[in-house]
Amino acid sequence: MAESQDLFTYDPSFNTLLESNLSEPRLAPYIKAANGDRSYATKLYLWNARLAKAFLFPLQIAEIVTRNSINKAFATEFKDPDWVKSPPFTLTPPSTVSYQASRGRLSRQKSAPHSADDIVASLTFDFWSNLFRAEYDSLWSSPGLLKSVFPLMPSGFDRTQIQVRVARINWLRNRIAHHETIHAKINSVVYLDHIDEFLGFICDDTRRWVKANATVKAVFNAPPTAISDFSGTPLSLSNYRSPPRFSGGETLLEAMRKLMAVRPSVGLVDDSAGDAPYRLVTNEMIMLFIEKVASHADGYVALQDNTVRAVIDTFPSPDFALISIDCTTGDARNLFFPKGKTKQRPQALIVIDQSKTPKEIGILMKPAIKY
């Protein structure tokens, strides 16, 4: 679900149907964020789902590493690898309910006998996170127990500081598990940093592994726009160089100098007589023109005597399409590589910003390979 698989067209009837199926209260936060635009609200809903999916990996590792570290420390502290079958400390009523519910689920899933590892894996993150509540102060009064669970936590840390952090991570886990809104409730990058910090209290190598493989930031930095159809980085975040514009009478030397100053080396040639207001000229087209002229003139080409107009009259201009600055890289990729053999496949996309003059602020060239 990292990216859209196909183009989906939204219309009022579908938006009404989706709102009925998902429920108005569930979509309400997204409709509000989209200022009433139902289609945009649905895109925000999908983006929220992508964020939730991206968080599953770091949250999964945080939960597993935490419970395993607690289990290992408790087995050493209480000198019993099966301590979890009969805790040597008193569970609070909420912990008892959670413990019994997990044991019940385990019994339904797997016939007895249940190993200690089975029970550890079946207990919810609520159970493990609740062990850091104030009701368990006596448990953590044992010298060195907290440090054995979190060997790399900063000096001076105690149960209360761990509780704040583990409760924050558990809150996010539960919110995602219940399919709730997260994109408007939290700063995803900040919460990713919370998980990173917490993992670092237990194992720095595991922390670095999770940080290297997490995709939360990539998804967070690719929000939908009101007019985008595919997920991707907003085009507005890219740096563009305005393409040079030619009337057609410029010499090849003048044109090549201007084209070499921009990336990509593409310019717009005014073409009021054509279907579009301009055509494209590239340095490659100019070099092909020079080669053709030189082949008929003993290798000699006077760059000052040939014009841009002669180039575009000799070689076909690359096909292009317009794309708004409010679209995404996913939209651009879909234009370059659309599904269906009959669809237009432009070689270039002219990025348009209607708030500027000239509005053509940059050009994207089709990659040679679809990545």
Side-chain angles (χ1 to χ4, degrees), residues 12-36:
S13 62
F14 175 79
N15 291 333
T16 301
L17 175 66
L18 193 64
E19 190 169 341
S20 174
N21 288 334
L22 296 180
S23 83
E24 184 177 348
R26 180 165 291 279
L27 284 179
Y30 304 96
I31 295 173
K32 181 179 179 180
N35 295 319

mmCIF file with all atom_site columns, all heavy atoms in Angstrom, residues 12-36:
data_model
loop_
_atom_site.group_PDB
_atom_site.id
_atom_site.type_symbol
_atom_site.label_atom_id
_atom_site.label_alt_id
_atom_site.label_comp_id
_atom_site.label_asym_id
_atom_site.label_entity_id
_atom_site.label_seq_id
_atom_site.pdbx_PDB_ins_code
_atom_site.Cartn_x
_atom_site.Cartn_y
_atom_site.Cartn_z
_atom_site.occupancy
_atom_site.B_iso_or_equiv
_atom_site.pdbx_formal_charge
_atom_site.auth_seq_id
_atom_site.auth_comp_id
_atom_site.auth_asym_id
_atom_site.auth_atom_id
_atom_site.pdbx_PDB_model_num
ATOM 1   N N   . PRO A 1 12 ? -18.914 12.447 -7.014 1.00 0.00 ? 12 PRO A N   1
ATOM 2   C CA  . PRO A 1 12 ? -19.813 12.635 -5.868 1.00 0.00 ? 12 PRO A CA  1
ATOM 3   C C   . PRO A 1 12 ? -20.534 11.368 -5.434 1.00 0.00 ? 12 PRO A C   1
ATOM 4   O O   . PRO A 1 12 ? -20.695 11.114 -4.236 1.00 0.00 ? 12 PRO A O   1
ATOM 5   C CB  . PRO A 1 12 ? -20.794 13.701 -6.375 1.00 0.00 ? 12 PRO A CB  1
ATOM 6   C CG  . PRO A 1 12 ? -20.005 14.481 -7.373 1.00 0.00 ? 12 PRO A CG  1
ATOM 7   C CD  . PRO A 1 12 ? -19.130 13.471 -8.060 1.00 0.00 ? 12 PRO A CD  1
ATOM 8   N N   . SER A 1 13 ? -20.968 10.544 -6.379 1.00 0.00 ? 13 SER A N   1
ATOM 9   C CA  . SER A 1 13 ? -21.708 9.337  -6.010 1.00 0.00 ? 13 SER A CA  1
ATOM 10  C C   . SER A 1 13 ? -20.821 8.353  -5.251 1.00 0.00 ? 13 SER A C   1
ATOM 11  O O   . SER A 1 13 ? -21.254 7.730  -4.277 1.00 0.00 ? 13 SER A O   1
ATOM 12  C CB  . SER A 1 13 ? -22.297 8.662  -7.252 1.00 0.00 ? 13 SER A CB  1
ATOM 13  O OG  . SER A 1 13 ? -21.256 8.252  -8.144 1.00 0.00 ? 13 SER A OG  1
ATOM 14  N N   . PHE A 1 14 ? -19.553 8.215  -5.702 1.00 0.00 ? 14 PHE A N   1
ATOM 15  C CA  . PHE A 1 14 ? -18.661 7.301  -4.990 1.00 0.00 ? 14 PHE A CA  1
ATOM 16  C C   . PHE A 1 14 ? -18.332 7.852  -3.614 1.00 0.00 ? 14 PHE A C   1
ATOM 17  O O   . PHE A 1 14 ? -18.266 7.099  -2.638 1.00 0.00 ? 14 PHE A O   1
ATOM 18  C CB  . PHE A 1 14 ? -17.369 7.068  -5.771 1.00 0.00 ? 14 PHE A CB  1
ATOM 19  C CG  . PHE A 1 14 ? -16.379 6.230  -5.001 1.00 0.00 ? 14 PHE A CG  1
ATOM 20  C CD1 . PHE A 1 14 ? -16.519 4.859  -4.934 1.00 0.00 ? 14 PHE A CD1 1
ATOM 21  C CD2 . PHE A 1 14 ? -15.330 6.824  -4.301 1.00 0.00 ? 14 PHE A CD2 1
ATOM 22  C CE1 . PHE A 1 14 ? -15.635 4.083  -4.192 1.00 0.00 ? 14 PHE A CE1 1
ATOM 23  C CE2 . PHE A 1 14 ? -14.449 6.065  -3.562 1.00 0.00 ? 14 PHE A CE2 1
ATOM 24  C CZ  . PHE A 1 14 ? -14.605 4.685  -3.516 1.00 0.00 ? 14 PHE A CZ  1
ATOM 25  N N   . ASN A 1 15 ? -18.087 9.160  -3.510 1.00 0.00 ? 15 ASN A N   1
ATOM 26  C CA  . ASN A 1 15 ? -17.778 9.753  -2.218 1.00 0.00 ? 15 ASN A CA  1
ATOM 27  C C   . ASN A 1 15 ? -18.910 9.519  -1.222 1.00 0.00 ? 15 ASN A C   1
ATOM 28  O O   . ASN A 1 15 ? -18.671 9.245  -0.036 1.00 0.00 ? 15 ASN A O   1
ATOM 29  C CB  . ASN A 1 15 ? -17.515 11.250 -2.379 1.00 0.00 ? 15 ASN A CB  1
ATOM 30  C CG  . ASN A 1 15 ? -16.227 11.532 -3.137 1.00 0.00 ? 15 ASN A CG  1
ATOM 31  O OD1 . ASN A 1 15 ? -15.304 10.725 -3.115 1.00 0.00 ? 15 ASN A OD1 1
ATOM 32  N ND2 . ASN A 1 15 ? -16.164 12.669 -3.810 1.00 0.00 ? 15 ASN A ND2 1
ATOM 33  N N   . THR A 1 16 ? -20.141 9.618  -1.696 1.00 0.00 ? 16 THR A N   1
ATOM 34  C CA  . THR A 1 16 ? -21.297 9.363  -0.835 1.00 0.00 ? 16 THR A CA  1
ATOM 35  C C   . THR A 1 16 ? -21.333 7.903  -0.399 1.00 0.00 ? 16 THR A C   1
ATOM 36  O O   . THR A 1 16 ? -21.598 7.594  0.772  1.00 0.00 ? 16 THR A O   1
ATOM 37  C CB  . THR A 1 16 ? -22.600 9.720  -1.571 1.00 0.00 ? 16 THR A CB  1
ATOM 38  O OG1 . THR A 1 16 ? -22.572 11.106 -1.941 1.00 0.00 ? 16 THR A OG1 1
ATOM 39  C CG2 . THR A 1 16 ? -23.815 9.457  -0.684 1.00 0.00 ? 16 THR A CG2 1
ATOM 40  N N   . LEU A 1 17 ? -21.066 7.006  -1.345 1.00 0.00 ? 17 LEU A N   1
ATOM 41  C CA  . LEU A 1 17 ? -21.049 5.573  -1.040 1.00 0.00 ? 17 LEU A CA  1
ATOM 42  C C   . LEU A 1 17 ? -19.971 5.244  -0.020 1.00 0.00 ? 17 LEU A C   1
ATOM 43  O O   . LEU A 1 17 ? -20.206 4.504  0.950  1.00 0.00 ? 17 LEU A O   1
ATOM 44  C CB  . LEU A 1 17 ? -20.821 4.775  -2.324 1.00 0.00 ? 17 LEU A CB  1
ATOM 45  C CG  . LEU A 1 17 ? -20.661 3.255  -2.168 1.00 0.00 ? 17 LEU A CG  1
ATOM 46  C CD1 . LEU A 1 17 ? -21.965 2.642  -1.678 1.00 0.00 ? 17 LEU A CD1 1
ATOM 47  C CD2 . LEU A 1 17 ? -20.225 2.630  -3.491 1.00 0.00 ? 17 LEU A CD2 1
ATOM 48  N N   . LEU A 1 18 ? -18.782 5.784  -0.208 1.00 0.00 ? 18 LEU A N   1
ATOM 49  C CA  . LEU A 1 18 ? -17.671 5.496  0.698  1.00 0.00 ? 18 LEU A CA  1
ATOM 50  C C   . LEU A 1 18 ? -17.959 6.041  2.094  1.00 0.00 ? 18 LEU A C   1
ATOM 51  O O   . LEU A 1 18 ? -17.669 5.392  3.105  1.00 0.00 ? 18 LEU A O   1
ATOM 52  C CB  . LEU A 1 18 ? -16.378 6.107  0.149  1.00 0.00 ? 18 LEU A CB  1
ATOM 53  C CG  . LEU A 1 18 ? -15.079 5.655  0.809  1.00 0.00 ? 18 LEU A CG  1
ATOM 54  C CD1 . LEU A 1 18 ? -14.862 4.167  0.577  1.00 0.00 ? 18 LEU A CD1 1
ATOM 55  C CD2 . LEU A 1 18 ? -13.901 6.447  0.270  1.00 0.00 ? 18 LEU A CD2 1
ATOM 56  N N   . GLU A 1 19 ? -18.535 7.230  2.149  1.00 0.00 ? 19 GLU A N   1
ATOM 57  C CA  . GLU A 1 19 ? -18.866 7.820  3.441  1.00 0.00 ? 19 GLU A CA  1
ATOM 58  C C   . GLU A 1 19 ? -19.893 6.967  4.184  1.00 0.00 ? 19 GLU A C   1
ATOM 59  O O   . GLU A 1 19 ? -19.839 6.823  5.398  1.00 0.00 ? 19 GLU A O   1
ATOM 60  C CB  . GLU A 1 19 ? -19.402 9.238  3.242  1.00 0.00 ? 19 GLU A CB  1
ATOM 61  C CG  . GLU A 1 19 ? -19.551 10.019 4.531  1.00 0.00 ? 19 GLU A CG  1
ATOM 62  C CD  . GLU A 1 19 ? -19.820 11.491 4.295  1.00 0.00 ? 19 GLU A CD  1
ATOM 63  O OE1 . GLU A 1 19 ? -19.530 11.973 3.175  1.00 0.00 ? 19 GLU A OE1 1
ATOM 64  O OE2 . GLU A 1 19 ? -20.311 12.150 5.222  1.00 0.00 ? 19 GLU A OE2 1
ATOM 65  N N   . SER A 1 20 ? -20.812 6.368  3.428  1.00 0.00 ? 20 SER A N   1
ATOM 66  C CA  . SER A 1 20 ? -21.815 5.506  4.038  1.00 0.00 ? 20 SER A CA  1
ATOM 67  C C   . SER A 1 20 ? -21.171 4.233  4.578  1.00 0.00 ? 20 SER A C   1
ATOM 68  O O   . SER A 1 20 ? -21.494 3.775  5.680  1.00 0.00 ? 20 SER A O   1
ATOM 69  C CB  . SER A 1 20 ? -22.895 5.155  3.011  1.00 0.00 ? 20 SER A CB  1
ATOM 70  O OG  . SER A 1 20 ? -23.804 4.202  3.537  1.00 0.00 ? 20 SER A OG  1
ATOM 71  N N   . ASN A 1 21 ? -20.236 3.661  3.824  1.00 0.00 ? 21 ASN A N   1
ATOM 72  C CA  . ASN A 1 21 ? -19.607 2.402  4.233  1.00 0.00 ? 21 ASN A CA  1
ATOM 73  C C   . ASN A 1 21 ? -18.614 2.580  5.379  1.00 0.00 ? 21 ASN A C   1
ATOM 74  O O   . ASN A 1 21 ? -18.506 1.731  6.265  1.00 0.00 ? 21 ASN A O   1
ATOM 75  C CB  . ASN A 1 21 ? -18.914 1.760  3.040  1.00 0.00 ? 21 ASN A CB  1
ATOM 76  C CG  . ASN A 1 21 ? -19.895 1.180  2.038  1.00 0.00 ? 21 ASN A CG  1
ATOM 77  O OD1 . ASN A 1 21 ? -21.007 0.819  2.403  1.00 0.00 ? 21 ASN A OD1 1
ATOM 78  N ND2 . ASN A 1 21 ? -19.489 1.089  0.775  1.00 0.00 ? 21 ASN A ND2 1
ATOM 79  N N   . LEU A 1 22 ? -17.855 3.668  5.332  1.00 0.00 ? 22 LEU A N   1
ATOM 80  C CA  . LEU A 1 22 ? -16.855 3.893  6.372  1.00 0.00 ? 22 LEU A CA  1
ATOM 81  C C   . LEU A 1 22 ? -17.432 4.595  7.598  1.00 0.00 ? 22 LEU A C   1
ATOM 82  O O   . LEU A 1 22 ? -16.823 4.555  8.668  1.00 0.00 ? 22 LEU A O   1
ATOM 83  C CB  . LEU A 1 22 ? -15.687 4.713  5.807  1.00 0.00 ? 22 LEU A CB  1
ATOM 84  C CG  . LEU A 1 22 ? -14.867 4.047  4.708  1.00 0.00 ? 22 LEU A CG  1
ATOM 85  C CD1 . LEU A 1 22 ? -13.750 4.968  4.235  1.00 0.00 ? 22 LEU A CD1 1
ATOM 86  C CD2 . LEU A 1 22 ? -14.288 2.722  5.176  1.00 0.00 ? 22 LEU A CD2 1
ATOM 87  N N   . SER A 1 23 ? -18.553 5.245  7.420  1.00 0.00 ? 23 SER A N   1
ATOM 88  C CA  . SER A 1 23 ? -19.296 6.006  8.431  1.00 0.00 ? 23 SER A CA  1
ATOM 89  C C   . SER A 1 23 ? -18.855 7.473  8.429  1.00 0.00 ? 23 SER A C   1
ATOM 90  O O   . SER A 1 23 ? -17.652 7.789  8.291  1.00 0.00 ? 23 SER A O   1
ATOM 91  C CB  . SER A 1 23 ? -19.176 5.423  9.839  1.00 0.00 ? 23 SER A CB  1
ATOM 92  O OG  . SER A 1 23 ? -17.989 5.839  10.473 1.00 0.00 ? 23 SER A OG  1
ATOM 93  N N   . GLU A 1 24 ? -19.839 8.336  8.604  1.00 0.00 ? 24 GLU A N   1
ATOM 94  C CA  . GLU A 1 24 ? -19.571 9.775  8.612  1.00 0.00 ? 24 GLU A CA  1
ATOM 95  C C   . GLU A 1 24 ? -18.655 10.193 9.754  1.00 0.00 ? 24 GLU A C   1
ATOM 96  O O   . GLU A 1 24 ? -17.730 10.991 9.549  1.00 0.00 ? 24 GLU A O   1
ATOM 97  C CB  . GLU A 1 24 ? -20.893 10.535 8.677  1.00 0.00 ? 24 GLU A CB  1
ATOM 98  C CG  . GLU A 1 24 ? -20.719 12.046 8.601  1.00 0.00 ? 24 GLU A CG  1
ATOM 99  C CD  . GLU A 1 24 ? -22.044 12.776 8.591  1.00 0.00 ? 24 GLU A CD  1
ATOM 100 O OE1 . GLU A 1 24 ? -23.087 12.117 8.413  1.00 0.00 ? 24 GLU A OE1 1
ATOM 101 O OE2 . GLU A 1 24 ? -22.034 14.015 8.757  1.00 0.00 ? 24 GLU A OE2 1
ATOM 102 N N   . PRO A 1 25 ? -18.841 9.649  10.990 1.00 0.00 ? 25 PRO A N   1
ATOM 103 C CA  . PRO A 1 25 ? -17.936 10.049 12.077 1.00 0.00 ? 25 PRO A CA  1
ATOM 104 C C   . PRO A 1 25 ? -16.479 9.698  11.798 1.00 0.00 ? 25 PRO A C   1
ATOM 105 O O   . PRO A 1 25 ? -15.573 10.446 12.160 1.00 0.00 ? 25 PRO A O   1
ATOM 106 C CB  . PRO A 1 25 ? -18.476 9.264  13.281 1.00 0.00 ? 25 PRO A CB  1
ATOM 107 C CG  . PRO A 1 25 ? -19.918 9.038  12.975 1.00 0.00 ? 25 PRO A CG  1
ATOM 108 C CD  . PRO A 1 25 ? -19.959 8.820  11.495 1.00 0.00 ? 25 PRO A CD  1
ATOM 109 N N   . ARG A 1 26 ? -16.238 8.540  11.140 1.00 0.00 ? 26 ARG A N   1
ATOM 110 C CA  . ARG A 1 26 ? -14.857 8.150  10.869 1.00 0.00 ? 26 ARG A CA  1
ATOM 111 C C   . ARG A 1 26 ? -14.213 9.068  9.849  1.00 0.00 ? 26 ARG A C   1
ATOM 112 O O   . ARG A 1 26 ? -13.017 9.389  9.932  1.00 0.00 ? 26 ARG A O   1
ATOM 113 C CB  . ARG A 1 26 ? -14.808 6.696  10.385 1.00 0.00 ? 26 ARG A CB  1
ATOM 114 C CG  . ARG A 1 26 ? -13.390 6.210  10.067 1.00 0.00 ? 26 ARG A CG  1
ATOM 115 C CD  . ARG A 1 26 ? -13.317 4.716  9.954  1.00 0.00 ? 26 ARG A CD  1
ATOM 116 N NE  . ARG A 1 26 ? -13.522 4.076  11.239 1.00 0.00 ? 26 ARG A NE  1
ATOM 117 C CZ  . ARG A 1 26 ? -12.579 3.929  12.171 1.00 0.00 ? 26 ARG A CZ  1
ATOM 118 N NH1 . ARG A 1 26 ? -11.353 4.370  11.954 1.00 0.00 ? 26 ARG A NH1 1
ATOM 119 N NH2 . ARG A 1 26 ? -12.838 3.335  13.311 1.00 0.00 ? 26 ARG A NH2 1
ATOM 120 N N   . LEU A 1 27 ? -14.975 9.506  8.847  1.00 0.00 ? 27 LEU A N   1
ATOM 121 C CA  . LEU A 1 27 ? -14.413 10.369 7.816  1.00 0.00 ? 27 LEU A CA  1
ATOM 122 C C   . LEU A 1 27 ? -14.429 11.841 8.202  1.00 0.00 ? 27 LEU A C   1
ATOM 123 O O   . LEU A 1 27 ? -13.766 12.654 7.555  1.00 0.00 ? 27 LEU A O   1
ATOM 124 C CB  . LEU A 1 27 ? -15.180 10.186 6.502  1.00 0.00 ? 27 LEU A CB  1
ATOM 125 C CG  . LEU A 1 27 ? -14.872 8.912  5.705  1.00 0.00 ? 27 LEU A CG  1
ATOM 126 C CD1 . LEU A 1 27 ? -15.732 8.856  4.444  1.00 0.00 ? 27 LEU A CD1 1
ATOM 127 C CD2 . LEU A 1 27 ? -13.396 8.844  5.338  1.00 0.00 ? 27 LEU A CD2 1
ATOM 128 N N   . ALA A 1 28 ? -15.168 12.188 9.249  1.00 0.00 ? 28 ALA A N   1
ATOM 129 C CA  . ALA A 1 28 ? -15.325 13.595 9.626  1.00 0.00 ? 28 ALA A CA  1
ATOM 130 C C   . ALA A 1 28 ? -13.994 14.336 9.817  1.00 0.00 ? 28 ALA A C   1
ATOM 131 O O   . ALA A 1 28 ? -13.837 15.460 9.324  1.00 0.00 ? 28 ALA A O   1
ATOM 132 C CB  . ALA A 1 28 ? -16.187 13.706 10.884 1.00 0.00 ? 28 ALA A CB  1
ATOM 133 N N   . PRO A 1 29 ? -13.002 13.748 10.524 1.00 0.00 ? 29 PRO A N   1
ATOM 134 C CA  . PRO A 1 29 ? -11.735 14.477 10.700 1.00 0.00 ? 29 PRO A CA  1
ATOM 135 C C   . PRO A 1 29 ? -11.032 14.767 9.373  1.00 0.00 ? 29 PRO A C   1
ATOM 136 O O   . PRO A 1 29 ? -10.384 15.808 9.222  1.00 0.00 ? 29 PRO A O   1
ATOM 137 C CB  . PRO A 1 29 ? -10.897 13.537 11.572 1.00 0.00 ? 29 PRO A CB  1
ATOM 138 C CG  . PRO A 1 29 ? -11.878 12.624 12.223 1.00 0.00 ? 29 PRO A CG  1
ATOM 139 C CD  . PRO A 1 29 ? -12.984 12.457 11.245 1.00 0.00 ? 29 PRO A CD  1
ATOM 140 N N   . TYR A 1 30 ? -11.164 13.858 8.430  1.00 0.00 ? 30 TYR A N   1
ATOM 141 C CA  . TYR A 1 30 ? -10.508 14.033 7.137  1.00 0.00 ? 30 TYR A CA  1
ATOM 142 C C   . TYR A 1 30 ? -11.249 15.075 6.293  1.00 0.00 ? 30 TYR A C   1
ATOM 143 O O   . TYR A 1 30 ? -10.628 15.881 5.590  1.00 0.00 ? 30 TYR A O   1
ATOM 144 C CB  . TYR A 1 30 ? -10.446 12.698 6.399  1.00 0.00 ? 30 TYR A CB  1
ATOM 145 C CG  . TYR A 1 30 ? -9.763  11.621 7.195  1.00 0.00 ? 30 TYR A CG  1
ATOM 146 C CD1 . TYR A 1 30 ? -10.499 10.711 7.950  1.00 0.00 ? 30 TYR A CD1 1
ATOM 147 C CD2 . TYR A 1 30 ? -8.375  11.522 7.222  1.00 0.00 ? 30 TYR A CD2 1
ATOM 148 C CE1 . TYR A 1 30 ? -9.868  9.728  8.701  1.00 0.00 ? 30 TYR A CE1 1
ATOM 149 C CE2 . TYR A 1 30 ? -7.744  10.542 7.965  1.00 0.00 ? 30 TYR A CE2 1
ATOM 150 C CZ  . TYR A 1 30 ? -8.495  9.642  8.711  1.00 0.00 ? 30 TYR A CZ  1
ATOM 151 O OH  . TYR A 1 30 ? -7.874  8.679  9.449  1.00 0.00 ? 30 TYR A OH  1
ATOM 152 N N   . ILE A 1 31 ? -12.573 15.054 6.369  1.00 0.00 ? 31 ILE A N   1
ATOM 153 C CA  . ILE A 1 31 ? -13.374 16.054 5.640  1.00 0.00 ? 31 ILE A CA  1
ATOM 154 C C   . ILE A 1 31 ? -13.081 17.448 6.179  1.00 0.00 ? 31 ILE A C   1
ATOM 155 O O   . ILE A 1 31 ? -12.960 18.418 5.418  1.00 0.00 ? 31 ILE A O   1
ATOM 156 C CB  . ILE A 1 31 ? -14.873 15.714 5.753  1.00 0.00 ? 31 ILE A CB  1
ATOM 157 C CG1 . ILE A 1 31 ? -15.159 14.391 5.035  1.00 0.00 ? 31 ILE A CG1 1
ATOM 158 C CG2 . ILE A 1 31 ? -15.731 16.830 5.165  1.00 0.00 ? 31 ILE A CG2 1
ATOM 159 C CD1 . ILE A 1 31 ? -16.577 13.886 5.225  1.00 0.00 ? 31 ILE A CD1 1
ATOM 160 N N   . LYS A 1 32 ? -12.928 17.541 7.492  1.00 0.00 ? 32 LYS A N   1
ATOM 161 C CA  . LYS A 1 32 ? -12.592 18.829 8.095  1.00 0.00 ? 32 LYS A CA  1
ATOM 162 C C   . LYS A 1 32 ? -11.223 19.305 7.639  1.00 0.00 ? 32 LYS A C   1
ATOM 163 O O   . LYS A 1 32 ? -11.040 20.477 7.283  1.00 0.00 ? 32 LYS A O   1
ATOM 164 C CB  . LYS A 1 32 ? -12.638 18.719 9.620  1.00 0.00 ? 32 LYS A CB  1
ATOM 165 C CG  . LYS A 1 32 ? -12.318 20.024 10.330 1.00 0.00 ? 32 LYS A CG  1
ATOM 166 C CD  . LYS A 1 32 ? -12.398 19.856 11.846 1.00 0.00 ? 32 LYS A CD  1
ATOM 167 C CE  . LYS A 1 32 ? -12.054 21.167 12.555 1.00 0.00 ? 32 LYS A CE  1
ATOM 168 N NZ  . LYS A 1 32 ? -12.129 21.006 14.043 1.00 0.00 ? 32 LYS A NZ  1
ATOM 169 N N   . ALA A 1 33 ? -10.249 18.395 7.644  1.00 0.00 ? 33 ALA A N   1
ATOM 170 C CA  . ALA A 1 33 ? -8.885  18.750 7.218  1.00 0.00 ? 33 ALA A CA  1
ATOM 171 C C   . ALA A 1 33 ? -8.853  19.151 5.751  1.00 0.00 ? 33 ALA A C   1
ATOM 172 O O   . ALA A 1 33 ? -7.994  19.934 5.337  1.00 0.00 ? 33 ALA A O   1
ATOM 173 C CB  . ALA A 1 33 ? -7.932  17.588 7.472  1.00 0.00 ? 33 ALA A CB  1
ATOM 174 N N   . ALA A 1 34 ? -9.795  18.593 4.953  1.00 0.00 ? 34 ALA A N   1
ATOM 175 C CA  . ALA A 1 34 ? -9.840  18.874 3.516  1.00 0.00 ? 34 ALA A CA  1
ATOM 176 C C   . ALA A 1 34 ? -10.784 20.026 3.199  1.00 0.00 ? 34 ALA A C   1
ATOM 177 O O   . ALA A 1 34 ? -11.102 20.265 2.027  1.00 0.00 ? 34 ALA A O   1
ATOM 178 C CB  . ALA A 1 34 ? -10.275 17.634 2.759  1.00 0.00 ? 34 ALA A CB  1
ATOM 179 N N   . ASN A 1 35 ? -11.238 20.745 4.233  1.00 0.00 ? 35 ASN A N   1
ATOM 180 C CA  . ASN A 1 35 ? -12.148 21.882 4.044  1.00 0.00 ? 35 ASN A CA  1
ATOM 181 C C   . ASN A 1 35 ? -13.389 21.507 3.236  1.00 0.00 ? 35 ASN A C   1
ATOM 182 O O   . ASN A 1 35 ? -13.861 22.278 2.400  1.00 0.00 ? 35 ASN A O   1
ATOM 183 C CB  . ASN A 1 35 ? -11.417 23.056 3.366  1.00 0.00 ? 35 ASN A CB  1
ATOM 184 C CG  . ASN A 1 35 ? -10.319 23.633 4.236  1.00 0.00 ? 35 ASN A CG  1
ATOM 185 O OD1 . ASN A 1 35 ? -10.488 23.792 5.445  1.00 0.00 ? 35 ASN A OD1 1
ATOM 186 N ND2 . ASN A 1 35 ? -9.175  23.932 3.631  1.00 0.00 ? 35 ASN A ND2 1
ATOM 187 N N   . GLY A 1 36 ? -13.886 20.293 3.508  1.00 0.00 ? 36 GLY A N   1
ATOM 188 C CA  . GLY A 1 36 ? -15.117 19.870 2.876  1.00 0.00 ? 36 GLY A CA  1
ATOM 189 C C   . GLY A 1 36 ? -14.969 19.177 1.548  1.00 0.00 ? 36 GLY A C   1
ATOM 190 O O   . GLY A 1 36 ? -15.961 18.695 0.986  1.00 0.00 ? 36 GLY A O   1
#
